[in-house]
Amino acid sequence: MGGVVRLLWTLILLPVCLAQAQSRPGTINVGAIMSYGTLVGGVARTAMEAAVSDINADPAFLGGSRFALTFHDSNFSGFLGIVGALRFMEADTVAIIGPQQSSTAHVVSHLANELHVPMLSFTALDPTLTPLQYPYFIQTAPSDLYQMTAVAEIISYFGWADVVAVFSDDDHNRNGVSVLGDQVVRRRCKISYKAPLPPDPKATRSDVVAALSMIQMMESRVIVLHSYMTTGLMVFDVAESLGMMESGYVWIASSWLSSLLDSSPSFSTTTSKHLQGVLTLRLHTADSSNKAAFESRWNQLSNNTVGLNPYGLYAYDTVWTVARAVKKFLERGNNISFSDNTKLNGLGRGTLNLMALSIFNGGQELLDNILQTNFTGLTGPFQFSPDRSLIHPAYDVVNVLEDGYKTIGFWSNYSGLSVMPPETLYSKPPNRSVGTQRLNSVIWPGGNTSTPRGWVFRNNGMKLRIGVPRRVSYQDFAEEVNGTDVVQGYCIDVFLAAIKRLPYALPYRFIMVGDGHNNPSYNDLVNMVAEEIIDAAVGDIAIVSNRTKVVDFTQPYIESGLVVVAPVKELSSSPWTFLRPFTPLMWAVTALFFLVIGMVVWILEHRINQEFRGPPRRQIVTVLWFSFSTMFFAHRENPVSSLGRMVIIIWLFLVLIITSSYTASLTSILTVQQLSSPIQGLESLITSEAQIGFQVGSYAENYMIDQLNIASSRLVALGSPEEYAAALESGRVAAVVDEQPYIDLFLTNNCRFSVRGEQFTKAGWGFAFPRDSPLAVDMSTALLALSENGELQKIHDEWLLKKSCSSLASLTGSEQLHLKSFWGLFLISGISSTLAILAYLLSALRKFCHEFTETSDSSSAGSSLTRQLQTFLTYMDSKENRPLSGPKRKRADETAIH
């Protein structure tokens, strides 16, 4: 019975199996477009042939179908690459591997989009080949977006701010350099010059000489070379002949150089000495047993003609990616079929046979299978991310040495620069902080191990033209010694001291700017730097916003800011000087409180203290004497009530503060020169409507007009300290507004004037350099070092620290003490006195009610209240009999005995 069942199942399933076998094609046609004559093309072809052989070695892998890979040699020609793609699409090809060049990929990807034929390339890595525009084009190696990001992070790691790009002017390299520009800008760097060369291999030696000769005249010495092997080697050959492979230069080559080193062992041992110090990138592939086994087979596969490079490994994995996608496609019962493209109807059947171009019906599903690939290949985990790029893009950072090359670190999109292989970091949280970025030591061009500065001065080392303002006034800051080329002054000494702190020699020469009759405009001086008429400006140049828009300033080396200076007159002494420490209101309130405190104490002590009793005249004298004697702590009346003592304690504390303050203020008035002026500061100057002087060339004029809204008609230009003094004395101007250092020097010999109020702007002086000049950063570092070791202060003291009378000037009445400084103490004393009186009255009223009762035969309520009030006042005036204690009881007993 069981045998019969098995037979029935066999009869049922046999037709299905035969149908599936018939639906599977005997051959899977895949095309490959490569340039055999190139190093990468030759290695890739050998690797792809090995992959096809390994796939077909297992007939069960594709269910009996044979994987057929047909090669087309584009011979490094975009035209031939397009022709090859058309031929493959005429022959019912399910996928195309290639093309090798990005320029060709931009064209044939439109064919792939139309005919639904997936295209996979591990060499056309142009970042602009995006899946949105080319959905059927897939990059099976990391895009150059990541390689350029790695180059940008290397530049940032070594602290360079300016680079030059040399590249072959085709789609691949041009777009790569464009991406590099975007990446370095994100890291506060820039490409200062781009040197395009004719597309490889059309560039000639004269083209390269012209480009590199131009670069030699520039500041930047960091050069990024993005090209192919033929042009790249020519660039290095010309660079060596021009002396551009010596110390001071930095060369970073893209991955073409590492491929050359890997695939040409003879080149790396014989020619690498001419490339010593060059940095290059290599596509990173993780170590594995499969990779080691393939490397051991390589010599046999290539017949020892070429070495294996990472592109060979990616070529092998790309073929397997297509094979796995086709396998999944067939296992789902799909048929490989093509249909006519109606858009081609009527085009005829010429040499290209356009009518033969047909649409691959299963192209979309095969594309999806490719994007869902997930296996471990020779390059490591082979899987696409949602943006259709390979996961974990990474590169080796390679340093070319005299006798070969070495890997100095790695870069990955996951963790940046590291000395550990990227796969060891994937299990850890990503960390791109500056402190974790690291590379091993580098041998730079010329054999140096110290990191090159990355830039030099323009014009091939000619002396820098340093502009110095030729001042007519205030020559302590910068002046030209008559008859010589020597320039001296405070600003010049600071500049020379900073130069000595630079880690390199700075050739320079001073150029005086100005006619010698008037102070030059400092805005014009800064514009000369921006327009490259001079290379820098050194002097008393204020750092203000409109100037920072056109040039870069160093760290300020002296603080500055605008102040007001005005004429002052000395206050003469008078017999009433002793009244000046207090304002009239302060005197009045103080006197009033003396009387109030006396009255409060008298009320609290009158009934119980014999010293506060007696005839009315005597009590008035006692109150006045007691009040004013507390000023000197000489009162002889001692309060005996708790409330009275509390009031006196608080009052004596207040008296102590007032007398101490009075003494200090009077001492200052009698010993310090007192000056007065109608101008008390900026506010009084603005509201006075008086004329205001300013120094010619200073930014004070624009500041007062634009920021303080002072009419320009009120401003008077003055050219020298002598003009300041004359204008102030004659009343031509009420005050002068200028920067603090100038005013300090002006007051050295002009004690008739004084700074009024506080400095009302905050600024500083710095040296001006062209925008993005590295010298501005280095000079700022040198100025900080001078500030830290005290040398900057010594230079300041030598030139500017002179005895000035500005410190002796003070505002009129500034020593006077106002009530607002003491009202808190008066408030406390007043409140305590009030509370004491209230407490005393409540206590006395309670005792009065207890001892006296109202008589029942009162004639009227009014008379009763009158008699009660008179009785209460009499009671308050009477002496209260209280038991004595302490010394007073002893004295009373002795009196009674006698």
Side-chain angles (χ1 to χ4, degrees):
M1 186 65 180
V4 175
V5 173
R6 285 193 296 272
L7 178 62
L8 290 175
W9 276 110
T10 302
L11 293 175
I12 294 173
L13 295 176
L14 181 60
V16 177
C17 294
L18 291 175
Q20 289 181 353
Q22 291 177 356
S23 65
R24 284 182 178 270
T27 302
I28 307 298
N29 294 319
V30 178
I33 305 174
M34 304 300 295
S35 295
Y36 300 162
T38 63
L39 185 65
V40 171
V43 171
R45 179 177 183 179
T46 302
M48 287 191 288
E49 289 174 344
V52 172
S53 177
D54 293 343
I55 293 170
N56 292 329
D58 181 9
F61 181 77
L62 291 176
S65 298
R66 188 177 68 87
F67 192 91
L69 183 63
T70 305
F71 288 93
H72 173 80
D73 184 9
S74 63
N75 197 23
F76 217 84
S77 167
F79 172 72
L80 293 180
I82 297 171
V83 171
L86 290 172
R87 289 180 56 188
F88 285 137
M89 292 178 183
E90 290 175 356
D92 294 342
T93 300
V94 299
I96 297 175
I97 298 176
Q100 185 171 336
Q101 289 80 35
S102 296
S103 55
T104 306
H106 278 279
V107 177
V108 299
S109 291
H110 292 285
L111 297 174
N113 292 347
E114 184 67 27
L115 302 179
H116 297 180
V117 178
M119 300 186 67
L120 302 87
S121 180
F122 49 88
T123 55
L125 304 177
D126 183 352
T128 63
L129 288 167
T130 62
L132 293 177
Q133 184 177 8
Y134 307 112
Y136 279 86
F137 182 81
I138 306 169
Q139 293 174 331
T140 56
S143 163
D144 272 354
L145 166 65
Y146 301 106
Q147 181 174 201
M148 294 300 106
T149 302
V151 172
E153 293 201 7
I154 291 173
I155 293 170
S156 177
Y157 172 78
F158 287 109
W160 300 313
D162 195 353
V163 300
V164 171
V166 180
F167 61 98
S168 295
D169 196 12
D170 57 17
D171 289 343
H172 175 84
N173 296 289
R174 185 191 315 111
N175 293 333
V177 169
S178 178
V179 171
L180 175 63
D182 296 338
Q183 293 298 321
V184 296
V185 166
R186 293 176 58 185
R187 292 156 179 84
R188 304 187 69 179
C189 180
K190 68 182 178 69
I191 298 179
S192 60
Y193 182 71
K194 297 179 181 179
L197 298 173
D200 194 271
K202 298 179 181 179
T204 63
R205 188 176 181 87
S206 60
D207 295 329
V208 177
V209 169
L212 295 189
S213 298
M214 179 70 70
I215 294 172
Q216 268 191 313
M217 303 297 294
M218 299 179 180
E219 288 183 345
S220 178
R221 286 295 181 263
V222 181
I223 304 171
V224 177
L225 176 58
H226 191 36
S227 180
Y228 297 111
M229 182 181 66
T230 302
T231 301
L233 290 178
M234 185 187 302
V235 169
F236 281 124
D237 183 53
V238 172
E240 185 179 18
S241 66
L242 294 177
M244 299 176 68
M245 299 300 297
E246 300 174 354
S247 298
Y249 282 90
V250 176
W251 286 88
I252 303 176
S254 53
S255 57
W256 67 267
L257 180 56
S258 63
S259 300
L260 178 63
L261 297 173
D262 289 333
S263 299
S264 301
S266 59
F267 171 84
S268 63
T269 56
T270 59
T271 314
S272 60
K273 63 181 180 180
H274 302 296
L275 304 180
Q276 182 182 20
V278 175
L279 295 181
T280 184
L281 297 175
R282 177 201 290 130
L283 286 167
H284 177 75
T285 55
D287 293 333
S288 64
S289 57
N290 290 337
K291 175 182 174 182
F294 187 79
E295 289 174 340
S296 65
R297 294 172 52 195
W298 182 256
N299 289 336
Q300 181 181 359
L301 293 172
S302 63
N303 295 322
N304 292 318
T305 57
V306 66
L308 178 63
N309 61 46
Y311 290 103
L313 302 177
Y314 277 99
Y316 185 92
D317 285 350
T318 300
V319 175
W320 271 98
T321 299
V322 176
R324 289 175 183 273
V326 171
K327 177 184 178 182
K328 184 184 294 187
F329 180 85
L330 296 176
E331 287 177 346
R332 293 178 177 176
N334 296 308
N335 295 323
I336 296 178
S337 61
F338 297 84
S339 59
D340 293 336
N341 189 342
T342 57
K343 296 180 181 179
L344 298 177
N345 292 340
L347 293 181
R349 297 182 178 272
T351 304
L352 292 178
N353 194 17
L354 296 179
M355 294 293 294
L357 298 176
S358 55
I359 298 174
F360 178 26
N361 295 325
Q364 182 61 52
E365 185 169 351
L366 182 61
L367 176 67
D368 294 339
N369 292 344
I370 293 172
L371 295 176
Q372 293 169 8
T373 298
N374 186 1
F375 70 99
T376 300
L378 300 184
T379 59
F382 203 93
Q383 181 182 355
F384 294 96
S385 60
D387 65 353
R388 295 177 52 166
S389 62
L390 285 178
I391 62 170
H392 301 321
Y395 293 86
D396 301 340
V397 183
V398 178
N399 184 201
V400 182
L401 306 179
E402 190 174 6
D403 55 352
Y405 57 92
K406 69 173 181 178
T407 300
I408 61 171
F410 307 90
W411 178 91
S412 70
N413 194 44
Y414 186 79
S415 57
L417 297 172
S418 171
V419 295
M420 294 186 293
E423 52 270 12
T424 63
L425 302 174
Y426 294 147
S427 60
K428 303 177 182 179
N431 188 353
R432 302 295 292 271
S433 62
V434 176
T436 62
Q437 305 299 292
R438 185 184 171 193
L439 292 174
N440 288 323
S441 60
V442 181
I443 303 298
W444 301 101
N448 292 335
T449 56
S450 58
T451 303
R453 188 170 72 245
W455 67 276
V456 295
F457 301 109
R458 290 186 181 180
N459 302 325
N460 207 18
M462 294 179 62
K463 291 184 177 180
L464 262 71
R465 299 159 298 177
I466 306 297
V468 179
R470 180 180 276 114
R471 295 195 57 91
V472 178
S473 59
Y474 296 116
Q475 295 185 349
D476 297 82
F477 296 102
E479 67 169 337
E480 183 180 22
V481 179
N482 294 331
T484 67
D485 295 331
V486 178
V487 182
Q488 63 182 13
Y490 166 69
C491 302
I492 303 302
D493 281 4
V494 172
F495 176 73
L496 296 178
I499 287 178
K500 295 178 182 178
R501 286 278 173 177
L502 297 178
Y504 47 85
L506 179 66
Y508 66 89
R509 60 188 178 93
F510 290 121
I511 298 176
M512 304 305 296
V513 177
D515 57 12
H517 302 289
N518 299 287
N519 291 336
S521 169
Y522 281 53
N523 287 335
D524 293 342
L525 179 64
V526 169
N527 289 331
M528 291 176 65
V529 176
E531 296 169 3
E532 299 184 359
I533 299 175
I534 54 179
D535 299 311
V538 172
D540 43 338
I541 307 171
I543 304 173
V544 292
S545 59
N546 65 314
R547 296 173 184 173
T548 58
K549 295 177 181 178
V550 295
V551 297
D552 282 349
F553 281 95
T554 62
Q555 169 82 13
Y557 58 87
I558 186 175
E559 292 185 359
S560 180
L562 297 178
V563 294
V564 176
V565 64
V568 292
K569 62 180 180 178
E570 182 179 354
L571 294 178
S572 58
S573 300
S574 71
W576 306 104
T577 301
F578 69 92
L579 294 176
R580 288 175 54 191
F582 287 167
T583 61
L585 180 61
M586 181 67 181
W587 279 116
V589 172
T590 302
L592 177 62
F593 258 78
F594 273 108
L595 295 176
V596 169
I597 294 300
M599 290 298 298
V600 169
V601 173
W602 178 84
I603 293 173
L604 296 175
E605 297 291 325
H606 176 66
R607 297 188 65 239
I608 61 177
N609 194 333
Q610 183 63 36
E611 294 177 348
F612 288 88
R613 296 188 63 81
R617 180 178 298 178
R618 177 185 173 189
Q619 293 182 46
I620 293 173
V621 172
T622 299
V623 169
L624 294 176
W625 168 257
F626 174 82
S627 299
F628 291 100
S629 62
T630 56
M631 181 185 301
F632 311 101
F633 305 98
H635 52 283
R636 56 184 178 84
E637 295 81 7
N638 295 318
V640 296
S641 66
S642 299
L643 294 176
R645 290 172 178 173
M646 180 192 72
V647 172
I648 288 298
I649 289 174
I650 296 175
W651 172 246
L652 291 179
F653 178 75
L654 174 59
V655 170
L656 175 64
I657 299 300
I658 292 175
T659 54
S660 299
S661 302
Y662 175 86
T663 303
S665 180
L666 183 60
T667 302
S668 175
I669 291 174
L670 295 176
T671 56
V672 177
Q673 181 186 21
Q674 300 299 300
L675 306 175
S676 66
S677 170
I679 302 299
Q680 300 298 322
L682 178 64
E683 294 299 329
S684 61
L685 180 63
I686 294 176
T687 59
S688 68
E689 298 297 329
Q691 298 295 102
I692 304 172
F694 68 92
Q695 183 182 174
V696 175
S698 171
Y699 76 95
E701 178 184 14
N702 292 335
Y703 182 85
M704 287 188 287
I705 294 175
D706 299 336
Q707 303 298 324
L708 303 181
N709 297 320
I710 296 176
S712 58
S713 58
R714 292 180 57 193
L715 304 183
V716 178
L718 304 173
S720 66
E722 291 74 20
E723 289 189 37
Y724 285 10
L728 290 170
E729 288 181 340
S730 65
R732 181 185 173 195
V733 296
V736 171
V737 174
D738 206 348
E739 295 179 67
Q740 184 76 56
Y742 300 131
I743 296 303
D744 288 343
L745 283 181
F746 171 71
L747 294 178
T748 301
N749 300 316
N750 294 275
C751 295
R752 305 178 302 280
F753 312 105
S754 171
V755 174
R756 316 308 290 168
E758 301 293 332
Q759 181 176 289
F760 56 90
T761 65
K762 295 292 183 182
W765 291 353
F767 305 139
F769 292 91
R771 295 297 298 269
D772 301 321
S773 172
L775 188 56
V777 178
D778 290 351
M779 286 292 286
S780 293
T781 303
L783 289 172
L784 286 174
L786 292 175
S787 177
E788 291 171 357
N789 65 14
E791 189 172 350
L792 194 61
Q793 186 63 41
K794 292 179 181 178
I795 299 174
H796 175 275
D797 295 345
E798 179 182 351
W799 283 96
L800 306 180
L801 187 60
K802 302 176 181 178
K803 185 177 179 181
S804 174
C805 47
S806 61
S807 61
L808 301 178
S810 59
L811 295 177
T812 303
S814 62
E815 295 80 9
Q816 284 191 311
L817 301 176
H818 297 263
L819 178 62
K820 63 181 180 180
S821 301
F822 302 93
W823 72 268
L825 291 173
F826 282 117
L827 180 63
I828 293 173
S829 181
I831 292 175
S832 63
S833 300
T834 303
L835 293 177
I837 288 293
L838 291 175
Y840 173 75
L841 290 176
L842 289 175
S843 176
L845 183 60
R846 182 178 58 83
K847 292 180 181 180
F848 173 76
C849 293
H850 179 72
E851 295 181 7
F852 297 93
T853 59
E854 183 180 3
T855 60
S856 58
D857 56 346
S858 298
S859 59
S860 65
S863 61
S864 176
L865 290 175
T866 302
R867 286 197 303 271
Q868 289 180 12
L869 179 59
Q870 291 176 351
T871 304
F872 178 72
L873 293 176
T874 303
Y875 171 79
M876 293 296 295
D877 186 55
S878 64
K879 178 174 175 54
E880 180 180 0
N881 295 320
R882 301 181 63 187
L884 300 178
S885 61
K888 291 188 177 182
R889 176 185 293 180
K890 183 177 181 181
R891 289 196 300 270
D893 293 343
E894 291 176 352
T895 303
I897 293 173
H898 293 291

